[in-house]
mmCIF file of all heavy atoms in Angstrom:
data_model
loop_
_atom_site.group_PDB
_atom_site.id
_atom_site.type_symbol
_atom_site.label_atom_id
_atom_site.label_comp_id
_atom_site.label_asym_id
_atom_site.label_seq_id
_atom_site.Cartn_x
_atom_site.Cartn_y
_atom_site.Cartn_z
ATOM 1 N N ASP A 58 247.895 98.069 -17.302
ATOM 2 C CA ASP A 58 247.634 97.412 -18.588
ATOM 3 C C ASP A 58 247.646 98.459 -19.704
ATOM 4 O O ASP A 58 247.038 99.521 -19.568
ATOM 5 C CB ASP A 58 246.272 96.714 -18.520
ATOM 6 C CG ASP A 58 245.970 95.861 -19.738
ATOM 7 O OD1 ASP A 58 246.690 95.956 -20.761
ATOM 8 O OD2 ASP A 58 244.995 95.096 -19.677
ATOM 9 N N MET A 59 248.313 98.166 -20.809
ATOM 10 C CA MET A 59 248.407 99.102 -21.936
ATOM 11 C C MET A 59 247.066 99.339 -22.632
ATOM 12 O O MET A 59 246.897 100.362 -23.272
ATOM 13 C CB MET A 59 249.390 98.571 -22.978
ATOM 14 C CG MET A 59 250.791 98.473 -22.459
ATOM 15 S SD MET A 59 251.488 100.082 -22.260
ATOM 16 C CE MET A 59 252.909 99.932 -23.241
ATOM 17 N N ARG A 60 246.161 98.411 -22.541
ATOM 18 C CA ARG A 60 244.825 98.494 -23.139
ATOM 19 C C ARG A 60 244.877 98.655 -24.660
ATOM 20 O O ARG A 60 244.158 99.447 -25.263
ATOM 21 C CB ARG A 60 244.001 99.603 -22.488
ATOM 22 C CG ARG A 60 243.702 99.361 -21.025
ATOM 23 C CD ARG A 60 243.171 97.965 -20.688
ATOM 24 N NE ARG A 60 242.037 97.540 -21.453
ATOM 25 C CZ ARG A 60 240.795 97.493 -21.010
ATOM 26 N NH1 ARG A 60 240.542 97.843 -19.778
ATOM 27 N NH2 ARG A 60 239.830 97.088 -21.799
ATOM 28 N N TYR A 61 245.726 97.838 -25.290
ATOM 29 C CA TYR A 61 245.776 97.811 -26.748
ATOM 30 C C TYR A 61 244.470 97.320 -27.355
ATOM 31 O O TYR A 61 244.226 97.533 -28.536
ATOM 32 C CB TYR A 61 246.939 96.949 -27.228
ATOM 33 C CG TYR A 61 248.296 97.589 -27.043
ATOM 34 C CD1 TYR A 61 249.309 96.922 -26.371
ATOM 35 C CD2 TYR A 61 248.560 98.864 -27.541
ATOM 36 C CE1 TYR A 61 250.562 97.503 -26.208
ATOM 37 C CE2 TYR A 61 249.801 99.454 -27.375
ATOM 38 C CZ TYR A 61 250.789 98.767 -26.716
ATOM 39 O OH TYR A 61 252.018 99.352 -26.554
ATOM 40 N N ASP A 62 243.633 96.677 -26.551
ATOM 41 C CA ASP A 62 242.315 96.258 -27.043
ATOM 42 C C ASP A 62 241.405 97.463 -27.299
ATOM 43 O O ASP A 62 240.478 97.380 -28.106
ATOM 44 C CB ASP A 62 241.642 95.300 -26.061
ATOM 45 C CG ASP A 62 241.458 95.898 -24.667
ATOM 46 O OD1 ASP A 62 242.392 96.586 -24.175
ATOM 47 O OD2 ASP A 62 240.405 95.678 -24.056
ATOM 48 N N LEU A 63 241.675 98.591 -26.649
ATOM 49 C CA LEU A 63 240.870 99.801 -26.837
ATOM 50 C C LEU A 63 241.492 100.760 -27.841
ATOM 51 O O LEU A 63 240.784 101.477 -28.549
ATOM 52 C CB LEU A 63 240.699 100.534 -25.503
ATOM 53 C CG LEU A 63 239.947 99.789 -24.423
ATOM 54 C CD1 LEU A 63 239.927 100.610 -23.143
ATOM 55 C CD2 LEU A 63 238.536 99.496 -24.882
ATOM 56 N N LEU A 64 242.819 100.818 -27.855
ATOM 57 C CA LEU A 64 243.531 101.746 -28.727
ATOM 58 C C LEU A 64 244.928 101.187 -28.953
ATOM 59 O O LEU A 64 245.610 100.825 -28.002
ATOM 60 C CB LEU A 64 243.640 103.123 -28.058
ATOM 61 C CG LEU A 64 244.375 104.205 -28.837
ATOM 62 C CD1 LEU A 64 243.556 104.645 -30.051
ATOM 63 C CD2 LEU A 64 244.663 105.407 -27.935
ATOM 64 N N SER A 65 245.312 101.111 -30.206
ATOM 65 C CA SER A 65 246.653 100.645 -30.540
ATOM 66 C C SER A 65 247.411 101.793 -31.191
ATOM 67 O O SER A 65 247.728 101.768 -32.370
ATOM 68 C CB SER A 65 246.583 99.431 -31.465
ATOM 69 O OG SER A 65 247.875 98.924 -31.694
ATOM 70 N N ALA A 66 247.693 102.816 -30.413
ATOM 71 C CA ALA A 66 248.317 104.037 -30.925
ATOM 72 C C ALA A 66 249.837 104.006 -30.811
ATOM 73 O O ALA A 66 250.517 104.647 -31.601
ATOM 74 C CB ALA A 66 247.775 105.253 -30.179
ATOM 75 N N SER A 67 250.364 103.281 -29.828
ATOM 76 C CA SER A 67 251.794 103.366 -29.552
ATOM 77 C C SER A 67 252.394 101.997 -29.266
ATOM 78 O O SER A 67 252.396 101.541 -28.121
ATOM 79 C CB SER A 67 252.028 104.285 -28.355
ATOM 80 O OG SER A 67 253.396 104.359 -28.066
ATOM 81 N N PRO A 68 252.937 101.345 -30.297
ATOM 82 C CA PRO A 68 253.558 100.037 -30.059
ATOM 83 C C PRO A 68 254.788 100.116 -29.155
ATOM 84 O O PRO A 68 255.185 99.121 -28.573
ATOM 85 C CB PRO A 68 253.934 99.553 -31.456
ATOM 86 C CG PRO A 68 253.841 100.722 -32.355
ATOM 87 C CD PRO A 68 252.960 101.735 -31.684
ATOM 88 N N SER A 69 255.362 101.308 -29.004
ATOM 89 C CA SER A 69 256.530 101.447 -28.123
ATOM 90 C C SER A 69 256.139 101.778 -26.686
ATOM 91 O O SER A 69 256.997 102.024 -25.850
ATOM 92 C CB SER A 69 257.487 102.510 -28.668
ATOM 93 O OG SER A 69 256.851 103.757 -28.748
ATOM 94 N N GLY A 70 254.850 101.799 -26.380
ATOM 95 C CA GLY A 70 254.417 101.947 -24.999
ATOM 96 C C GLY A 70 253.960 103.337 -24.609
ATOM 97 O O GLY A 70 253.691 104.187 -25.461
ATOM 98 N N PHE A 71 253.863 103.522 -23.302
ATOM 99 C CA PHE A 71 253.374 104.780 -22.745
ATOM 100 C C PHE A 71 254.416 105.890 -22.871
ATOM 101 O O PHE A 71 255.615 105.642 -22.831
ATOM 102 C CB PHE A 71 253.050 104.633 -21.259
ATOM 103 C CG PHE A 71 251.925 103.699 -20.942
ATOM 104 C CD1 PHE A 71 252.040 102.815 -19.870
ATOM 105 C CD2 PHE A 71 250.747 103.720 -21.654
ATOM 106 C CE1 PHE A 71 250.998 101.971 -19.538
ATOM 107 C CE2 PHE A 71 249.698 102.879 -21.327
ATOM 108 C CZ PHE A 71 249.824 102.000 -20.268
ATOM 109 N N GLN A 72 253.919 107.121 -22.970
ATOM 110 C CA GLN A 72 254.710 108.334 -22.896
ATOM 111 C C GLN A 72 253.835 109.395 -22.251
ATOM 112 O O GLN A 72 252.626 109.200 -22.093
ATOM 113 C CB GLN A 72 255.147 108.806 -24.290
ATOM 114 C CG GLN A 72 256.231 107.973 -24.929
ATOM 115 C CD GLN A 72 257.584 108.181 -24.284
ATOM 116 O OE1 GLN A 72 257.848 109.217 -23.682
ATOM 117 N NE2 GLN A 72 258.452 107.181 -24.400
ATOM 118 N N TRP A 73 254.440 110.530 -21.905
ATOM 119 C CA TRP A 73 253.686 111.660 -21.353
ATOM 120 C C TRP A 73 254.517 112.921 -21.536
ATOM 121 O O TRP A 73 255.678 112.870 -21.923
ATOM 122 C CB TRP A 73 253.356 111.439 -19.878
ATOM 123 C CG TRP A 73 254.549 111.126 -19.028
ATOM 124 C CD1 TRP A 73 255.423 112.024 -18.465
ATOM 125 C CD2 TRP A 73 255.030 109.841 -18.645
ATOM 126 N NE1 TRP A 73 256.403 111.371 -17.757
ATOM 127 C CE2 TRP A 73 256.190 110.025 -17.856
ATOM 128 C CE3 TRP A 73 254.592 108.539 -18.889
ATOM 129 C CZ2 TRP A 73 256.904 108.971 -17.304
ATOM 130 C CZ3 TRP A 73 255.311 107.500 -18.349
ATOM 131 C CH2 TRP A 73 256.445 107.705 -17.557
ATOM 132 N N GLY A 74 253.885 114.050 -21.297
ATOM 133 C CA GLY A 74 254.591 115.319 -21.383
ATOM 134 C C GLY A 74 254.473 116.011 -22.730
ATOM 135 O O GLY A 74 255.053 117.065 -22.941
ATOM 136 N N TYR A 75 253.737 115.441 -23.644
ATOM 137 C CA TYR A 75 253.465 116.038 -24.953
ATOM 138 C C TYR A 75 252.184 115.413 -25.485
ATOM 139 O O TYR A 75 251.536 114.638 -24.786
ATOM 140 C CB TYR A 75 254.648 115.850 -25.918
ATOM 141 C CG TYR A 75 254.916 114.409 -26.313
ATOM 142 C CD1 TYR A 75 254.459 113.906 -27.530
ATOM 143 C CD2 TYR A 75 255.623 113.558 -25.475
ATOM 144 C CE1 TYR A 75 254.697 112.589 -27.902
ATOM 145 C CE2 TYR A 75 255.867 112.245 -25.822
ATOM 146 C CZ TYR A 75 255.414 111.763 -27.052
ATOM 147 O OH TYR A 75 255.650 110.478 -27.401
ATOM 148 N N GLY A 76 251.787 115.700 -26.701
ATOM 149 C CA GLY A 76 250.482 115.258 -27.186
ATOM 150 C C GLY A 76 250.502 114.211 -28.275
ATOM 151 O O GLY A 76 249.696 114.267 -29.181
ATOM 152 N N GLY A 77 251.401 113.234 -28.219
ATOM 153 C CA GLY A 77 251.519 112.232 -29.274
ATOM 154 C C GLY A 77 250.784 110.931 -29.011
ATOM 155 O O GLY A 77 249.869 110.843 -28.188
ATOM 156 N N SER A 78 251.228 109.887 -29.730
ATOM 157 C CA SER A 78 250.562 108.586 -29.651
ATOM 158 C C SER A 78 250.834 107.864 -28.330
ATOM 159 O O SER A 78 249.958 107.175 -27.806
ATOM 160 C CB SER A 78 250.966 107.714 -30.834
ATOM 161 O OG SER A 78 252.370 107.512 -30.848
ATOM 162 N N GLY A 79 252.053 107.993 -27.784
ATOM 163 C CA GLY A 79 252.345 107.385 -26.477
ATOM 164 C C GLY A 79 251.485 107.960 -25.365
ATOM 165 O O GLY A 79 250.933 107.213 -24.548
ATOM 166 N N PRO A 80 251.327 109.296 -25.331
ATOM 167 C CA PRO A 80 250.410 109.873 -24.345
ATOM 168 C C PRO A 80 248.948 109.461 -24.574
ATOM 169 O O PRO A 80 248.198 109.307 -23.615
ATOM 170 C CB PRO A 80 250.597 111.379 -24.532
ATOM 171 C CG PRO A 80 252.011 111.505 -24.982
ATOM 172 C CD PRO A 80 252.209 110.332 -25.910
ATOM 173 N N ALA A 81 248.553 109.252 -25.818
ATOM 174 C CA ALA A 81 247.190 108.767 -26.086
ATOM 175 C C ALA A 81 247.001 107.378 -25.492
ATOM 176 O O ALA A 81 245.961 107.082 -24.894
ATOM 177 C CB ALA A 81 246.912 108.755 -27.588
ATOM 178 N N GLN A 82 248.015 106.518 -25.639
ATOM 179 C CA GLN A 82 247.931 105.172 -25.076
ATOM 180 C C GLN A 82 247.816 105.227 -23.562
ATOM 181 O O GLN A 82 247.026 104.499 -22.960
ATOM 182 C CB GLN A 82 249.171 104.360 -25.486
ATOM 183 C CG GLN A 82 248.984 102.878 -25.331
ATOM 184 C CD GLN A 82 247.993 102.322 -26.346
ATOM 185 O OE1 GLN A 82 248.133 102.535 -27.540
ATOM 186 N NE2 GLN A 82 246.997 101.619 -25.864
#
Side-chain angles (χ1 to χ4, degrees):
D58 187 348
M59 296 289 236
R60 296 312 307 255
Y61 287 127
D62 58 319
L63 297 177
L64 179 70
S65 185
S67 179
S69 60
F71 295 138
Q72 287 287 336
W73 54 84
Y75 66 99
S78 60
Q82 198 69 53

